[in-house]
């Protein structure tokens, strides 16, 4: 058949119309054949893959466990695993694919704030649901995201007063990577430091991924501070701790107190460089509970690595699947709206302790803990809250438990 | 002030460590080797592997990494670059592709097992290179704190520069390389085996990258991506110094390192990099062929 212009236009029109209509004809019902699809969206390639792959693994592990127990309301969970490729744009595309084409009622995913911000519009526009496991900077309020990691008040509200009282430190040097998370964390730090009668001598930032710490550590040395508060993220953590020791500083006299440095970074830098420093997180691998020991055991078996480490974002990636399962059981139907209503107030006994989803802001009650790192790469818990603490994503802007900025109705912007 | 100058010096020596290998491949053979960073990464992984499997000290890993990266360089030259001499943009694309291949291969292989053998201690892609204890314990000499690891990098870089200088200016091999640099056709007409010499030069440049990798592993994470960012800095030094000029490369690395170190100490690291790049742009506009370039006829 020769292609004439008229033919071409006609065919294009038909194909075009077909393409437009197609998605609506081939939609699978969300819960057909006794299965329910969910999206699992983490970076399996690229710079963040080292951490995010472990989150993807543990999410699949939780799903397998639930399936082995008989699924949710008799339905098997079918994970659709996608690769965000450490790139926000890919994250956005993959989220759209999961929500629009696969019609999943929920996606579990992402590690960085950049990727969360990239997928957020998709979930808000399509009224879908996203479970985000990472500790983050707060300052966000969405009906379409369930946050199961810590927000600044859950990492710092006990940390700063503890440093001042128990370590007797008065002069803070705040250091971080140059983007939104460390800067927001620094804001909260400064408020808490001043409230507790101490002072901060400087806050300095280094590009994300930058690994030349010579000049910065020199500055820390010269600043006269007696404690370093680190919000440094990613690769730079390793270079920072190594340089710190190489320049002759000592965690005994000038400890680094960190909000990001977890088991995984400690393993990468070599435990001897972090021995004696502190980190604040709701979860540590060293938490001594039978549930946690069993969890570590199962995870190591699942990834076939007897030395694999667990960390905070990994634990929340795990228990959020269970929160979702309970929400679905309560809701009875696998639609994003029903699951969201179901997840409010859900409680679960996670490996690290009791967790509960706040009914107002969809963040999670978590127990702040402080650990001191030992020469074996494990933290010794030196302080812990007696019970889970309420999540306040806007604490840096004056949010208190009696005066919530983020509620079930949405964000009250007049208070900002 | 001495501390700041020392940091600048150590920054410069790291730049030089990366640029030295690039200077040789780019200068001598006109190959823009985008896989240089990956060869650095291979060097670092070799060191990690030496430590894990053979319990070898980091210092012993240096010659091993030189040989491994050099051999890989030779292989790359034989398989790909040999067919692309004189096509500078094509070598850029081809080596960029090789860089991606190497990176992905390492990512696949160093996940949790190595060649399907489960190596205990091999983490989830992020490895650490253990530095000998005496190299990260600083000591005081007359009020000045000596940082052994950085001093070691500076010393090693000086040794490598000396060896390279000797190779290039005091041996038969060096004369042949320099002849090829100036005019490959003429060199071939004079009876120099251009293919063989080029292959060896490329292997030597790659080996230097491997050594750089061992040293970088001492303060960075050893991960599949570690090489990428380094190449840009390496080319910066090579271009500013003048293509193929050993003296230029040394001067440019030292100068840029000091500028970066001093500005970072006075203001901050983010501004320091901006200032450094600004200066590089100005320098290239002033002397497009670099600080020390050959006289062209």
């Amino acid at each position: 058949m020769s292609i004439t212009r008229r033919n071409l236009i006609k065919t294009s029109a038909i194909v075009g119309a077909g393409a437009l209509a197609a998605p609506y004809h081939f939609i699978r019902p969300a819960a057909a054949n006794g299965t329910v699809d969910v999206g699992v969206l983490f970076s399996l390639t690229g710079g963040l893959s080292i951490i995010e792959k472990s989150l993807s693994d543990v999410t699949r592990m939780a799903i397998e466990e639930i399936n082995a127990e008989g699924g949710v309301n008799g339905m098997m969970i079918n994970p659709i695993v996608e690769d965000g490729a450490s790139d926000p744009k890919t994250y956005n595309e993959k989220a759209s694919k999961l929500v629009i084409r696969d019609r999943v009622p929920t996606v579990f995913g992402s590690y960085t704030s950049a990727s969360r911000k990239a997928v957020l519009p998709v979930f808000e526009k399509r009224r879908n649901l996203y479970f985000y496991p990472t500790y983050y900077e707060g300052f966000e309020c969405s009906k379409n995201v369930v946050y199961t990691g810590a927000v600044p008040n859950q990492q710092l509200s006990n940390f700063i007063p503890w440093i001042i009282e128990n370590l007797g430190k008065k002069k803070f040097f705040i250091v971080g990577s140059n983007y939104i998370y460390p800067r927001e964390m620094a804001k909260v730090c400064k408020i808490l430091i001043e409230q507790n009668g101490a002072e901060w001598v400087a806050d300095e930032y280094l590009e994300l991924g930058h690994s030349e710490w010579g000049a910065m550590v020199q500055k820390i040395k010269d600043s006269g501070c007696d404690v370093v508060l680190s919000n440094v993220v990613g690769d730079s953590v390793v270079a920072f701790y190594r340089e710190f020791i190489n320049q002759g500083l000592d965690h005994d006299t000038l400890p680094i107190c960190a909000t990001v440095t977890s088991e995984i970074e400690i393993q990468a830098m070599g435990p001897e460089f972090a021995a004696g420093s502190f980190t604040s997180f709701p979860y540590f691998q060293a938490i001594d509970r039978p549930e946690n020991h069993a969890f570590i055991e199962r995870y190591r078996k699942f990834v076939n690595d007897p030395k694999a480490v667990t960390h905070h974002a990994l634990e929340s990636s795990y228990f959020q699947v269970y929160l979702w399962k309970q929400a679905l059981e309560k809701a009875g139907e696998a639609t994003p709206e029903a699951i969201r209503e179901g997840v409010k107030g859900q409680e679960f006994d996670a490996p690290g302790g009791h967790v509960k989803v706040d009914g107002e802001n969809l963040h999670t009650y978590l127990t702040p803990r402080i650990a001191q790192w030992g020469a074996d790469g494990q933290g010794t818990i030196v302080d812990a809250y007696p019970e889970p603490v309420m999540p306040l994503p806007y604490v840096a802007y004056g949010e208190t438990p009696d005066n919530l900025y983020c509620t079930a109705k949405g964000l009250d912007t007049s208070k900002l | 002030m001495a501390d700041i100058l020392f940091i600048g010096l150590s920054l410069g020596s790291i730049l030089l460590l990366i640029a030295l290998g690039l200077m040789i491949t780019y200068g001598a053979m006109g190959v823009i080797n985008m896989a240089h960073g990956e060869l650095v990464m291979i060097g670092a992984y070799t060191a990690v592997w030496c430590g894990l499997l053979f319990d070898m000290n980091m210092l012993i890993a240096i010659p091993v990494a030189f040989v491994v990266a050099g051999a890989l360089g030779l292989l790359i030259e034989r398989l790909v670059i040999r067919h692309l001499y004189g096509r500078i943009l094509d070598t850029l694309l081809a080596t960029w592709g090789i860089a991606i291949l190497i990176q992905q291969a390492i990512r696949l292989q160093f996940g949790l097992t190595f060649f399907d053998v489960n190596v205990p201690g091999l983490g989830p892609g992020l490895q650490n290179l253990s530095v000998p204890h005496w190299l990260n314990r600083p000591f005081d000499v007359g009020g000045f704190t000596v940082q052994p690891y950085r001093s070691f990098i500076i010393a090693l870089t000086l040794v490598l520069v000396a060896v390279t200088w000797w190779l290039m200016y005091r041996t038969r091999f060096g004369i042949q390389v320099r002849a090829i640099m100036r005019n490959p056709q003429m060199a071939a007409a004079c009876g120099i085996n251009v293919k063989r010499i080029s292959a060896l030069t490329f292997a030597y440049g790659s080996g230097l990258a491997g050594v750089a990798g061992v040293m970088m592993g001492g303060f960075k994470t050893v991960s599949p991506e570690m090489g990428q960012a380094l190449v840009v800095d390496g080319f910066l030094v090579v271009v500013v110094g003048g293509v193929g000029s050993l003296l230029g490369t040394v001067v440019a690395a030292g100068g840029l390192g000091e500028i970066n170190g001093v500005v970072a100490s006075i203001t901050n690291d983010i501004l320091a990099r901006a200032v450094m790049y600004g200066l590089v742009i100005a320098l290239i506009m002033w002397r497009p062929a670099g600080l020390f370039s050959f006289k062209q006829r």
Side-chain angles (χ1 to χ4, degrees), chain A residues 66-238:
Chain A
I66 294 170
N67 283 345
E69 299 267 299
V72 198
N73 292 342
M75 292 183 290
M76 290 293 134
I77 309 172
N78 175 37
I80 300 176
V81 180
E82 288 292 344
D83 177 9
S86 307
D87 167 36
K89 192 168 166 288
T90 312
Y91 257 104
N92 182 291
E93 287 161 5
K94 291 294 170 76
S96 305
K97 183 249 173 194
L98 286 167
V99 168
I100 297 166
R101 200 167 86 197
D102 298 328
R103 301 282 281 182
V104 298
T106 306
V107 176
F108 302 101
S110 82
Y111 178 67
T112 62
S113 290
S115 52
R116 185 190 68 253
K117 296 274 187 208
V119 300
L120 203 55
V122 176
F123 290 91
E124 291 188 334
K125 197 173 162 206
R126 302 277 166 182
R127 299 201 188 93
N128 212 293
L129 194 59
Y130 194 57
F131 274 66
Y132 178 69
T134 319
Y135 47 95
Y136 83 112
E137 66 278 0
F139 198 55
E140 201 170 279
C141 184
S142 173
K143 284 193 293 184
N144 303 85
V145 184
V146 178
Y147 306 83
T148 56
V151 282
N153 78 310
Q154 292 169 317
Q155 278 191 280
L156 295 170
S157 59
N158 65 330
F159 204 19
I160 305 277
W162 183 85
I163 293 167
I164 295 167
E165 278 165 34
N166 288 279
L167 299 180
K169 303 297 184 186
K170 289 279 177 205
K171 288 182 170 177
F172 286 75
F173 192 108
I174 305 170
V175 60
S177 303
N178 193 22
Y179 77 107
I180 177 168
Y181 171 79
R183 284 185 178 271
E184 287 287 325
M185 290 300 269
K187 253 187 211 169
V188 185
C189 286
K190 289 175 189 170
I191 294 168
L192 287 168
I193 288 168
E194 278 159 14
Q195 273 174 6
N196 287 281
E199 58 169 326
W200 52 277
V201 292
D203 63 325
E204 292 272 354
Y205 302 90
L206 209 67
E207 269 172 277
L208 194 62
H210 197 66
S211 58
E212 182 45 64
W213 283 88
M216 183 75 90
V217 173
Q218 187 70 45
K219 266 187 218 167
I220 292 175
K221 254 175 154 175
D222 297 340
S223 69
C225 63
D226 56 13
V227 60
V228 179
L229 205 129
S230 158
N231 299 314
V232 182
V233 177
D235 234 18
S236 316
V237 175
V238 172

Side-chain angles (χ1 to χ4, degrees), chain A residues 187-360:
Chain A
K187 253 187 211 169
V188 185
C189 286
K190 289 175 189 170
I191 294 168
L192 287 168
I193 288 168
E194 278 159 14
Q195 273 174 6
N196 287 281
E199 58 169 326
W200 52 277
V201 292
D203 63 325
E204 292 272 354
Y205 302 90
L206 209 67
E207 269 172 277
L208 194 62
H210 197 66
S211 58
E212 182 45 64
W213 283 88
M216 183 75 90
V217 173
Q218 187 70 45
K219 266 187 218 167
I220 292 175
K221 254 175 154 175
D222 297 340
S223 69
C225 63
D226 56 13
V227 60
V228 179
L229 205 129
S230 158
N231 299 314
V232 182
V233 177
D235 234 18
S236 316
V237 175
V238 172
F240 176 39
Y241 280 64
R242 285 201 164 204
E243 181 69 23
F244 197 78
I245 298 298
N246 281 339
Q247 290 211 12
L249 295 171
D250 193 334
H251 293 301
D252 291 335
T253 50
L254 180 64
I256 297 181
C257 296
T259 59
V260 183
T261 312
S262 73
E263 286 83 353
I264 207 149
E265 283 89 5
I266 304 275
Q267 195 194 30
M269 74 177 79
E272 69 267 26
F273 291 95
S277 67
F278 299 90
T279 300
S280 170
F281 265 137
Y283 173 86
F284 289 97
Q285 185 172 6
I287 289 174
D288 194 18
R289 301 176 80 225
E291 293 88 343
N292 188 37
H293 297 311
F295 168 66
I296 296 165
E297 197 65 28
R298 289 200 304 278
Y299 174 66
R300 286 179 169 173
K301 216 168 172 184
F302 189 81
V303 296
N304 188 25
D305 179 14
K307 289 195 168 183
V309 290
T310 56
H311 50 95
H312 173 45
L314 187 100
E315 187 233 8
S316 43
S317 296
Y318 175 77
F319 73 66
Q320 69 179 10
V321 181
Y322 279 91
L323 287 172
W324 175 85
K325 171 199 174 231
Q326 292 175 4
L328 180 54
E329 278 169 353
K330 189 178 161 198
E333 55 169 339
T335 63
E337 290 86 358
I339 296 171
R340 183 180 68 228
E341 289 312 310
V343 84
K344 289 177 179 172
Q346 262 329 319
E347 301 184 38
F348 183 69
D349 192 30
H354 196 71
V355 298
K356 178 184 152 195
V357 179
D358 187 272
E360 295 285 340

Side-chain angles (χ1 to χ4, degrees), chain A residues 46 50 178 205-207 211-212 214-215 218-219 235 239 242-243 245-248 267-268 273 303-305 307, chain B residues 3 7 11 112 118 124 126 128-129 131 136-138 150 217-221 225 264-265 267 269-270 273:
Chain A
I50 288 153
N178 193 22
Y205 302 90
L206 209 67
E207 269 172 277
S211 58
E212 182 45 64
Q218 187 70 45
K219 266 187 218 167
D235 234 18
R242 285 201 164 204
E243 181 69 23
I245 298 298
N246 281 339
Q247 290 211 12
Q267 195 194 30
F273 291 95
V303 296
N304 188 25
D305 179 14
K307 289 195 168 183
Chain B
D3 292 336
I7 287 169
L11 283 177
L112 293 168
N118 206 324
L126 271 181
N128 80 75
L129 183 56
V131 179
N136 51 44
R137 287 283 166 266
R150 286 184 180 267
F219 55 85
K220 275 173 84 91
T221 339
E225 294 80 24
S265 299
T267 58
D269 284 273
I270 298 164
R273 276 188 90 68

Side-chain angles (χ1 to χ4, degrees), chain B residues 17-90:
Chain B
L17 208 54
I18 309 289
L20 209 54
L22 273 178
M23 185 275 291
I24 288 172
T25 48
Y26 185 30
M29 303 144 69
V31 173
I32 297 183
N33 184 12
M34 298 302 283
H36 193 76
E38 274 55 41
L39 290 162
V40 171
M41 183 258 288
I42 291 288
Y45 268 96
T46 308
V48 169
W49 204 36
C50 283
L52 276 178
L53 289 190
F54 309 116
D55 216 16
M56 264 158 61
N57 195 303
M58 183 181 176
L59 302 183
I60 308 169
I62 291 173
V64 180
F66 179 84
V67 173
V68 170
L72 185 65
L74 198 63
L75 192 73
I76 295 171
E77 204 273 347
R78 278 284 152 86
L79 291 180
V80 182
I81 292 168
R82 167 154 299 192
H83 310 286
L84 298 172
Y85 282 126
R87 294 155 60 182
I88 198 158
L89 283 178
D90 296 352

